[in-house]
DNA sequence: GCGGCGCTTATACC
DNA sequence: ACCGGTATAAGCGCCGC
């Protein structure tokens, strides 16, 4: 039979000692299809320059490796002309019966004087399959094959709960790009104890197209039509499984579900002795080990949206935490409902109804977030050619590496290996190299600023100067363009093209595509300096930073020589005074600068700004770097580095400072800002400030026992633990400073629920004054004196 | 008991 | 451990007096 097919989930299995890849996806009719394809595991033995392959081939062909469960042997060899790190090499491609034994066979070959290195025995089988067979994730293919019968592959067709199971004869990518819309199902659980296995699952919500349910066993009124009630936890879980199977999703998604919902469900199903048969194989989820366990379900892609957001988007989001509420609020404009978990021990009927509603809303929000992020997941998957499961969990370094890996064949390149433990140790011990240039500004309020910035500076430096592992000869970087800079150049080019297309014809797909290329370009520099990278090259990373620095310094010099006054600059941006020049003059000058820039490097106009404020460092006379505020021609204010944008300062401070900056930038003087400050000082002293505005929020970044210094947030976290609230790394700890006698700030730490008077002096001297002091200093206004004055007035 | 200072820690910028 | 270096600043904790 022949049909169209889009692979969504990739897996492999062994049959009679050989590897087969199992693809699960949809056909053109929307049916769930499993396609079994054969795969020939192989790796390369790269020969030394001038070495003859014959002797090596002979040794290799006789190799057999016996393990407890199977014997793996070399099936065939091919002598091939390839490239390795840009150099022509002769290599022997070694085909082995089982992928899992590649490493052992490679070791068995051992060191022969003819052999330079062995490579590609350390790649994932699925990655190699995609790379060699070209069956790319989420792309439409035409498949020719036979429906599998009960006798094929030990009867796997029967074991899989899919519409059709086919043994592939031929799989070809379709020429035209066709849309694929996955069936997404979102879920969320609520428990009475957040610690895994300790509590019970009170309810499970499901939300997708045509499904909207809360399953529970706690409260059986038929008040909300979407609530279904069951006899116990086990029965509820069984029904959850049934609904998932019935809905037959491509994607089952949760938020933090790798770390919470799915493992909790698994533990609860074991406790209740019910099957969590979510997979098409009728089996429960498995958890791959790693820093964070990943929950895998056979034939369905389990997507933990938190992982994807955390790994790929977090640095570009405004959200101060990656909670579902904040992230969904920012990305889909929808937020969660409120529920007070303190009510749990004594729930009224009404409390239960609002709890159900809350639980449902979480699944709804998760579903909407999944729909919103779908174009991004899809594009990342298509671009780096890795399955959805991996793509939604990989960090940017892996994305860069996968992009390289899946494009190596165009360059005839054999893949470099992953660094081993010792190599990683050596790389990490190397220490830092010199990085970016930051211009020290003179504190002051400036009118009419121009900001230039280099587009994708580090990436364009890598391309323009050909900086990479394969183009480094130990001393200099070669002229002949290497595959890394070439690919990066393509990435930058594609980003440009898709950005333009998007501007002309906006769509979620184009936005996501353009964005994915942008993120890849931005991560390429860090990748070469990352100790875990296959194509790690410290010299390339250091040279990138150095050439970037040379270029910004040269541009600054050019701009200065033209008669402009430089105000600020950081890494790839330069701010200077427009002076008496017209915007047209500035743009003409920009063109002149661009004409002299090397390679693909490009200086761009970032914007014109009406005013800009720069302050001094605390205690020191020098100008503070990475701290400034600008206002553009539309009156939009851009604040960088100030306490306003730091989540570890209380709201009162942040709001006040933001208002102060805004007034100063808009009015051009400090008068109104000063009035505002006085009002807040007054409110603070009259104890009129809301406690919520005084809450401090600091992230716990390691387990409590690993702290050498006990900062206020660590004290707060210990208090929480003492009260039975579990704390863990990553949590944002909330507390306020109240009155007390202790010497340390930490001695006066109170949790939000604790009853205490706020420490007026602390909030005055450690929050408000420090945040506005340097700003008013620019106008020679001493806020210390003003605060003192207020005190005097009050006394009299 | 207190001020100074180095160190630890969190968070931001690009 | 899961992309890099540069920078600000608070608060702890130890030292010397």
């Amino acid at each position: 039979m022949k049909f169209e097919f889009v692979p969504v989930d990739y897996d492999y299995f062994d049959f009679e000692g050989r590897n087969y890849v199992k693809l699960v996806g949809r056909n053109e009719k929307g049916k769930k299809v499993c396609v079994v394809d054969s795969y020939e595991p192989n790796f390369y033995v790269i020969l030394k320059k001038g070495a003859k392959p014959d002797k090596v081939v002979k040794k290799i062909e006789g190799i057999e490796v016996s393990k407890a469960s199977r014997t793996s042997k070399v099936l065939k060899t091919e002598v091939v002309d390839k490239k390795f790190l840009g150099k022509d090499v002769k290599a022997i491609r070694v085909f082995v019966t089982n992928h899992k034994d590649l490493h052992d066979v490679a070791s068995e070959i051992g060191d022969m004087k003819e052999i330079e290195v062995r490579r590609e025995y350390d790649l994932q089988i699925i990655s190699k399959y995609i790379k060699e067979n070209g069956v790319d994730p989420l792309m439409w293919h035409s498949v020719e094959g036979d429906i599998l019968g009960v006798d094929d592959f030990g009867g796997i067709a029967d074991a899989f709960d899919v519409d059709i199971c086919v043994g592939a004869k031929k799989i070809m990518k379709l020429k035209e790009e066709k849309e694929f819309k996955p069936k997404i199902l979102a879920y969320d659980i609520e428990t009475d104890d957040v610690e895994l296995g300790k509590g019970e699952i009170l309810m499970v919500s499901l939300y997708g197209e045509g499904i909207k349910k809360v399953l529970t066993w706690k409260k059986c009124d038929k008040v909300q039509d979407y609530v279904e009630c069951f006899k116990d936890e086990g029965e509820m879980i069984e029904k959850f499984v049934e609904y998932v199977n019935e809905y037959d999703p491509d994607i089952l998604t949760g938020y933090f579900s790798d770390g919470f919902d799915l493992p909790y469900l698994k533990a609860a199903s074991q406790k209740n002795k019910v099957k969590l048969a979510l997979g098409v194989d009728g089996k429960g989820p498995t958890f791959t080990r790693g820093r964070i366990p990943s929950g895998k379900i056979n034939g369905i892609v389990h997507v933990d949206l938190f992982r994807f957001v955390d790994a790929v988007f977090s640095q570009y989001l405004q959200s101060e935490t990656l909670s579902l509420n904040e992230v969904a609020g920012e990305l889909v404009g929808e937020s969660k409902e409120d529920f007070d978990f303190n009510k749990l021990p004594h729930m009224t009927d009404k409390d239960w109804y609002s709890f159900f509603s809350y639980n449902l809303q979480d699944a709804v929000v998760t579903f909407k977030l999944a729909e919103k992020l779908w174009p991004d997941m899809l594009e990342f998957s298509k671009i780096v050619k890795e399955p959805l499961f991996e793509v939604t969990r990989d960090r940017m370094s892996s994305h860069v590496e996968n992009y390289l890996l899946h494009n190596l064949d165009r360059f005839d390149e054999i893949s470099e290996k992953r660094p081993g433990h010792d190599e990683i140790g050596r790389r990490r011990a190397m220490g830092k190299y010199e990085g970016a240039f930051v211009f020290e500004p003179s504190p002051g309020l400036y009118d009419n600023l121009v900001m230039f910035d280099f587009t994708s500076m580090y990436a364009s430096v890598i391309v323009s100067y050909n900086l990479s592992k394969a183009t480094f000869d130990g001393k200099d970087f070669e002229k002949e363009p290497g595959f890394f800079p070439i690919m990066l150049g393509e990435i930058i080019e594609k980003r440009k093209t898709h950005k333009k297309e998007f501007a002309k014809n906006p769509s979620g797909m184009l936005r996501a595509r353009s964005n994915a290329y942008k993120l890849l370009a931005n991560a390429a520099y860090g990748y070469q300096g990352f100790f875990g990278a296959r194509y790690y090259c410290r010299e390339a990373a250091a040279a990138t930073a150095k050439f970037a620095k040379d270029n910004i310094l040269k541009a600054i010099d050019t701009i200065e020589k033209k008669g402009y006054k430089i105000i600020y600059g950081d890494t790839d941006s330069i701010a200077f005074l427009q002076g008496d020049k017209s915007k047209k003059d500035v743009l003409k000058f920009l063109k002149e600068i661009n004409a002299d820039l090397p390679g693909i490097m490009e200086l761009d106009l970032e914007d014109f700004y009406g005013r800009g404020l720069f302050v001094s460092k605390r205690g020191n006379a020098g100008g503070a770097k990475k701290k400034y505020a600008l206002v553009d021609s539309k009156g939009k204010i851009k604040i960088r580095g100030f306490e306003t944008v730091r989540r570890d300062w209380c709201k009162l401070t942040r709001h006040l400072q933001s208002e102060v900056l805004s007034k100063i930038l808009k009015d051009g003087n400090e008068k109104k800002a000063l009035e505002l400050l006085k009002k807040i000082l007054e409110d603070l002293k009259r104890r009129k400030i809301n406690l919520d505005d005084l809450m401090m929020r600091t992230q716990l970044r390691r387990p409590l026992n690993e702290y050498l210094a006990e900062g206020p947030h660590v004290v707060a976290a210990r208090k929480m633990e003492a009260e039975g609230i579990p704390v863990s790394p990553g949590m944002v700890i909330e507390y306020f400073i109240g009155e007390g006698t202790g010497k340390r700030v930490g001695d006066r730490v109170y949790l939000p629920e604790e009853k205490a008077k706020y420490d007026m002096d602390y909030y005055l001297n450690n929050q408000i004054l420090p945040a506005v002091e340097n700003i008013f200093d620019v106008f020679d206004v001493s806020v210390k004196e003003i605060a003192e004055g207020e005190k005097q007035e009050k006394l009299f």
Side-chain angles (χ1 to χ4, degrees):
Chain A
M1 66 183 298
K2 191 175 172 183
F3 59 97
E4 288 181 1
F5 173 72
V6 56
V8 180
D9 185 56
Y10 290 68
D11 192 20
Y12 74 98
F13 63 90
D14 286 4
F15 181 70
E16 293 175 347
R18 304 289 293 269
N19 304 128
Y20 294 88
V21 170
K22 188 198 77 182
L23 312 163
V24 175
R26 299 275 174 187
N27 67 8
E28 71 275 16
K29 293 184 187 110
K31 296 278 184 212
K32 193 169 257 190
V33 180
C34 113
V35 173
V36 174
D37 198 6
S38 58
Y39 174 65
E40 299 186 305
N42 66 89
F43 67 100
Y44 291 94
V45 171
I46 298 171
L47 299 176
K48 281 191 180 137
K49 208 175 165 68
K52 292 268 178 296
D54 309 25
K55 207 178 121 197
V56 187
V57 167
K58 203 161 173 235
K59 180 175 176 191
I60 291 173
E61 289 195 330
I63 286 177
E64 255 191 52
V65 179
S66 282
K67 304 258 282 216
S69 55
R70 64 177 174 269
T71 299
S72 205
K73 58 183 179 199
V74 172
L75 292 172
K76 60 173 176 177
T77 55
E78 286 171 8
V79 176
V80 288
D81 288 315
K82 298 283 283 183
K83 288 194 171 186
F84 182 62
L85 296 173
K87 307 285 176 295
D88 291 320
V89 292
K90 204 163 266 307
I92 304 165
R93 194 175 187 191
V94 184
F95 290 85
V96 178
T97 42
N98 199 306
H99 178 84
K100 290 193 209 74
D101 301 319
L102 290 187
H103 213 286
D104 290 336
V105 173
S107 299
E108 190 65 28
I109 293 169
D111 290 318
M112 292 176 75
K113 66 178 194 310
E114 292 86 353
I115 297 175
E116 183 76 40
V117 286
R118 292 151 301 204
R119 288 295 183 267
E120 294 202 11
Y121 52 80
D122 66 346
L123 294 165
Q124 296 282 342
I125 184 170
I126 296 301
S127 300
K128 277 208 97 178
Y129 167 77
I130 292 170
K131 180 174 184 282
E132 289 163 18
N133 294 31
V135 184
D136 295 346
L138 301 170
M139 300 283 273
W140 283 96
H141 296 78
S142 84
V143 176
E144 284 173 46
D146 299 317
I147 293 182
L148 293 175
V150 280
D151 300 329
D152 298 316
F153 302 112
I156 61 156
D158 270 4
F160 291 137
D161 181 22
V162 291
D163 298 310
I164 319 161
C165 223
V166 171
K169 284 211 179 91
K170 197 174 164 193
I171 307 181
M172 295 278 290
K173 202 170 293 132
L174 292 188
K175 283 200 180 70
E176 76 273 24
E177 224 181 310
K178 245 177 74 172
E179 205 200 336
F180 166 63
K181 201 167 179 289
K183 271 183 96 169
I184 301 175
L185 182 62
Y187 76 112
D188 182 57
I189 67 166
E190 301 301 338
T191 67
D192 55 6
D193 195 313
V194 289
E195 221 169 303
L196 201 143
K198 263 201 171 177
E200 290 175 311
I201 300 177
L202 307 175
M203 59 191 86
V204 186
S205 58
L206 285 160
Y207 189 83
E209 246 167 81
I211 184 169
K212 173 181 161 183
K213 291 193 185 300
V214 171
L215 316 181
T216 187
W217 55 287
K218 298 304 282 188
K219 183 86 194 143
C220 288
D221 312 347
K222 295 230 169 1
V223 175
Q224 290 141 304
D225 58 358
Y226 53 81
V227 177
E228 280 179 39
C229 194
F230 301 92
K231 141 169 148 274
D232 55 29
E233 195 186 16
E235 212 176 69
M236 174 187 71
I237 293 171
E238 283 183 305
K239 195 67 189 177
F240 166 72
V241 172
E242 203 182 307
Y243 277 132
V244 173
N245 291 339
E246 199 179 288
Y247 187 85
D248 186 29
D250 296 295
I251 296 171
L252 180 67
T253 185
Y255 199 84
F256 209 67
S257 50
D258 269 347
F260 185 69
D261 304 65
L262 201 57
Y264 218 112
L265 275 164
K266 186 173 179 174
S269 69
Q270 281 166 350
K271 188 180 70 190
N272 287 282
K273 299 193 170 56
V274 296
K275 280 179 86 182
L276 193 63
L278 294 167
V280 299
D281 59 352
K283 290 187 181 145
T286 52
F287 290 87
T288 60
R289 45 188 167 27
R291 197 165 55 97
I292 311 158
S294 304
K296 213 169 170 43
I297 299 170
N298 199 301
I300 296 176
V301 185
H302 176 240
V303 172
D304 179 349
L305 291 172
F306 166 78
R307 296 280 299 274
F308 187 51
V309 169
D310 183 34
V312 173
F313 294 105
S314 55
Q315 67 171 125
Y316 301 92
L317 294 181
Q318 298 292 307
S319 302
E320 283 170 15
T321 68
L322 292 182
S323 66
L324 174 59
N325 199 23
E326 257 195 283
V327 172
E330 181 175 346
L331 293 176
V332 292
E334 182 133 2
S335 56
K336 294 175 39 149
E337 284 178 15
D338 270 336
F339 180 76
D340 181 6
F341 279 80
N342 292 319
K343 286 180 182 168
L344 268 182
H346 35 78
M347 296 277 283
T348 65
D349 287 359
K350 243 181 129 184
D351 291 337
W352 279 112
Y353 305 149
S354 75
F355 203 11
F356 294 143
S357 168
Y358 167 91
N359 180 223
L360 179 69
Q361 180 65 6
D362 268 13
V364 172
V365 167
T366 303
F367 180 81
K368 290 190 174 168
L369 190 59
E371 279 199 314
K372 167 79 185 182
L373 292 175
W374 167 246
D376 299 281
M377 299 184 232
L378 175 67
E379 291 305 325
F380 257 101
S381 195
K382 282 183 175 177
I383 292 167
V384 307
K385 296 189 201 291
E386 282 288 309
L388 201 51
F389 182 86
E390 279 71 24
V391 154
T392 52
R393 287 167 177 81
D394 283 346
R395 318 282 304 190
M396 280 313 295
S397 63
S398 298
H399 290 319
V400 171
E401 193 154 281
N402 287 327
Y403 184 90
L404 295 170
L405 175 72
H406 287 292
N407 283 278
L408 286 178
D409 288 342
R410 289 197 278 133
F411 300 86
D412 264 330
E413 272 280 329
I414 293 172
S415 168
E416 178 55 296
K417 75 167 190 298
R418 193 183 294 138
H421 184 268
D422 295 349
E423 175 61 16
I424 286 181
R426 272 193 293 279
R427 292 176 182 184
R428 297 190 65 185
M430 287 289 271
K432 288 186 172 185
Y433 53 84
E434 195 181 315
F437 166 77
V438 188
F439 186 96
E440 186 185 314
S442 294
L445 179 68
Y446 300 94
D447 287 337
N448 298 326
L449 294 102
V450 186
M451 181 96 85
F452 284 169
D453 66 2
F454 285 92
T455 39
S456 307
M457 190 187 215
Y458 279 39
S460 67
V461 166
I462 292 170
V463 176
S464 303
Y465 294 84
N466 204 27
L467 309 174
S468 72
K469 175 168 182 163
T471 51
F472 184 60
D473 66 10
K475 211 168 146 282
D476 293 305
F477 292 92
E478 295 155 5
K479 289 275 173 292
E480 180 71 25
F483 64 86
F484 189 104
I486 292 175
M487 279 192 228
L488 185 54
E490 291 168 359
I491 289 171
I492 295 171
E493 220 24 69
K494 282 178 182 157
R495 146 78 170 159
K496 268 192 199 160
T497 316
H498 297 309
K499 198 181 169 185
K500 270 187 210 153
E501 279 177 48
F502 175 73
K504 252 197 276 173
N505 186 14
S507 74
M509 184 270 281
L510 283 173
R511 175 194 55 75
R513 190 169 291 181
S514 145
N515 197 241
Y517 281 115
K518 174 181 142 187
L519 299 189
L520 283 174
N522 286 351
Y525 154 71
Y527 172 80
Q528 297 204 93
F530 169 48
F531 55 79
R534 286 175 194 264
Y535 292 101
Y536 169 83
C537 182
R538 191 179 190 274
E539 292 84 357
T544 307
K546 191 194 169 290
F547 286 127
K549 192 169 182 171
D550 289 351
N551 275 282
I552 191 173
L553 287 174
K554 191 166 171 239
I556 285 176
D557 192 52
T558 309
I559 296 169
E560 257 175 349
K561 285 214 169 81
K562 191 82 176 177
Y564 294 100
K565 183 174 167 53
I566 306 291
I567 298 300
Y568 186 60
D570 184 348
T571 312
D572 60 356
S573 69
I574 306 167
F576 57 93
L577 297 183
Q578 194 180 329
D580 53 8
K581 303 279 187 17
S582 69
K583 288 188 180 177
K584 216 173 138 190
D585 288 338
V586 170
L587 291 172
K588 189 170 154 263
F589 176 47
L590 180 60
K591 259 193 178 164
E592 288 167 29
I593 301 176
N594 269 306
D596 285 338
L597 291 178
I600 66 163
M601 292 193 66
E602 208 174 0
L603 192 64
D604 195 18
L605 173 75
E606 203 261 335
D607 210 349
F608 289 98
Y609 293 95
R611 286 200 183 91
L613 182 78
F614 292 82
V615 299
S616 62
K617 279 190 284 193
R618 201 95 79 218
N620 181 307
K625 298 172 179 179
K626 299 186 185 286
K627 239 181 162 178
Y628 59 89
L630 306 167
V631 59
D632 69 16
S633 53
K634 289 175 188 152
K636 195 167 175 251
I637 287 174
K638 180 164 152 176
I639 297 175
R640 292 289 120 98
F642 275 109
E643 284 73 10
T644 298
V645 298
R646 293 182 60 97
R647 69 157 178 215
D648 54 347
W649 285 71
C650 73
K651 267 193 217 162
L652 179 74
T653 306
R654 298 175 64 186
H655 285 167
L656 171 66
Q657 191 193 50
S658 153
E659 283 295 303
V660 164
L661 288 171
S662 163
K663 285 187 194 308
I664 288 172
L665 287 172
K666 284 182 175 162
D667 298 344
N669 65 55
E670 80 292 359
K671 302 257 175 345
K672 281 187 186 152
L674 203 51
E675 282 170 32
L676 181 70
L677 170 64
K678 284 181 182 166
K679 188 191 166 295
I680 296 292
L681 290 178
E682 187 67 27
D683 287 350
L684 185 76
K685 281 169 190 170
R686 289 182 191 276
R687 297 208 160 273
K688 280 165 70 181
I689 306 290
N690 203 326
L691 208 52
D692 186 49
D693 290 329
L694 300 176
M695 288 302 161
M696 318 278 282
R697 289 174 191 85
T698 314
Q699 185 176 228
L700 204 65
R701 290 162 57 100
R702 57 183 80 160
L704 284 180
N705 55 15
E706 284 178 24
Y707 279 95
L708 299 170
E710 185 162 277
H713 75 299
V714 180
V715 175
R718 285 197 200 286
K719 273 193 162 189
M720 288 169 72
E721 219 173 37
E723 284 185 22
I725 308 163
V727 293
S728 54
M731 268 176 87
V732 176
I733 307 294
E734 203 175 11
Y735 58 93
F736 71 97
I737 308 303
E739 291 184 333
T741 50
K743 188 174 125 118
R744 303 182 311 171
V745 172
D747 296 330
R748 285 169 283 143
V749 158
Y750 294 88
L751 297 181
E753 314 75 54
E754 284 189 277
K755 296 255 179 293
K757 277 179 140 182
Y758 63 75
D759 184 338
M760 201 186 287
D761 287 335
Y762 175 83
Y763 284 99
L764 178 70
N765 297 316
N766 298 43
Q767 286 277 317
I768 293 183
L769 294 186
V772 295
E773 203 169 13
N774 296 336
I775 298 173
F776 285 106
D777 262 357
V778 167
F779 305 93
D780 284 324
V781 172
S782 162
V783 290
K784 278 238 165 73
E785 281 171 24
I786 287 166
E788 284 297 316
E790 294 268 313
K791 221 179 209 167
Q792 295 297 323
E793 269 173 48
K794 223 182 150 196
L795 278 174
F796 290 113

